[in-house]
Amino acid sequence: GAVVSQHPSRVICKSGTSVKIECRSLDFQATTMFWYRQFPKKSLMLMATSNEGSKATYEQGVEKDKFLINHASLTLSTLTVTSAHPEDSSFYICSARGWTGEKLFFGSGTQLSVL
Amino acid sequence: KQEVTQIPAALSVPEGENLVLNCSFTDSAIYNLQWFRQDPGKGLTSLLLIQSSQREQTSGRLNASLDKSSGRSTLYIAASQPGDSATYLCAVRHNTDKLIFGTGTRLQVFP
């Protein structure tokens, strides 16, 4: 199956710093990428949808200035958590879909801990 | 607004049992439904995808059924093994790119 690489897998940072998470499709072109957030023992909540070369579409309640998403190429999308605070601590997962695929392929996730 | 619920929330069984995990959704106008597996602290692995026109899909010991009109799907796991221990998530898609995930079932299969 298709491979989506997400990096880093774990990051610990101080409050006020910015953190960038990368999501790469390794063997297919990802026309659409999705960013999810997951709290412990909870399901995934969609944060935003990004299409290559255009601005991301954010879900209601998600601050676009805080969670900056860039999808500059067909194989890379980045999520930057700006001025992170402890309440931003969570598990972030990206997923990607290709030109004709129905299935979503997921990255391995990033555990963000903000001290 | 679509809501997806999974029952049970947690399940602990001995090895070898046949299992049924349930997923229900409130808006039956779905495009497809997908079952995923998530290991602790990891991403998701797609298990089965059922189109809205299909009734079931099978892969190895897994069988997923879909009854769109009643808003239900089941994931059947035959002859469960300790390696099946994980959280299982169902997700529905409408005619958009978005997936709406269920609440998950945490499965533990002990030897």
Side-chain angles (χ1 to χ4, degrees):
Chain A
V3 178
V4 175
S5 174
Q6 186 172 342
H7 179 81
S9 59
R10 181 177 295 271
V11 58
I12 301 172
C13 68
K14 293 182 179 180
S15 184
T17 60
S18 295
V19 175
K20 179 183 283 188
I21 302 170
E22 291 189 349
C23 181
R24 293 181 184 273
S25 57
L26 298 185
D27 53 0
F28 69 102
Q29 292 184 326
T31 53
T32 306
M33 286 189 171
F34 306 87
W35 287 95
Y36 293 85
R37 183 174 182 176
Q38 186 178 33
F39 291 102
K41 297 186 178 180
K42 299 292 184 182
S43 193
L44 281 72
M45 298 300 295
L46 180 65
M47 298 175 66
T49 302
S50 72
N51 293 293
E52 185 265 338
S54 61
K55 290 184 178 181
T57 301
Y58 290 81
E59 293 301 298
Q60 192 172 14
V62 178
E63 299 176 60
K64 61 180 65 177
D65 293 331
K66 180 163 191 60
F67 299 100
L68 300 178
I69 292 173
N70 183 280
H71 191 167
S73 77
L74 284 171
T75 59
L76 174 64
S77 177
T78 60
L79 166 66
T80 301
V81 183
T82 62
S83 186
H85 290 283
E87 58 265 29
D88 299 325
S89 299
S90 187
F91 192 62
Y92 293 87
I93 309 177
C94 70
S95 67
R97 175 182 292 127
W99 290 103
T100 59
E102 293 286 354
K103 291 185 179 181
L104 278 183
F105 297 96
F106 283 78
S108 54
T110 297
Q111 181 63 54
L112 171 64
S113 299
V114 184
L115 305 178
Chain B
K1 180 184 175 184
Q2 175 73 274
E3 292 185 5
V4 184
T5 306
Q6 290 183 244
I7 295 174
L11 187 60
S12 182
V13 299
E15 182 177 10
E17 282 203 5
N18 299 323
L19 308 172
V20 176
L21 307 183
N22 297 291
C23 173
S24 61
F25 45 96
T26 55
D27 184 349
S28 62
I30 64 170
Y31 183 72
N32 63 38
L33 182 146
Q34 202 163 350
W35 282 92
F36 294 89
R37 168 187 173 137
Q38 184 178 29
D39 292 287
K42 301 292 184 182
L44 277 67
T45 301
S46 177
L47 298 174
L48 292 164
L49 183 149
I50 311 176
Q51 300 291 355
S52 62
S53 59
Q54 296 175 325
R55 298 285 291 183
E56 66 177 344
Q57 284 286 331
T58 298
S59 176
R61 293 183 294 108
L62 304 179
N63 175 277
S65 66
L66 174 64
D67 184 345
K68 199 174 78 163
S69 60
S70 67
R72 293 179 186 175
S73 176
T74 60
L75 178 66
Y76 178 82
I77 303 176
S80 58
Q81 302 171 359
D84 295 330
S85 299
T87 295
Y88 290 81
L89 296 163
C90 69
V92 299
R93 178 185 169 190
H94 293 272
N95 286 330
T96 66
D97 272 335
K98 300 179 186 179
L99 283 185
I100 300 173
F101 282 85
T103 47
T105 294
R106 294 190 304 280
L107 172 65
Q108 182 178 10
V109 181
F110 52 91

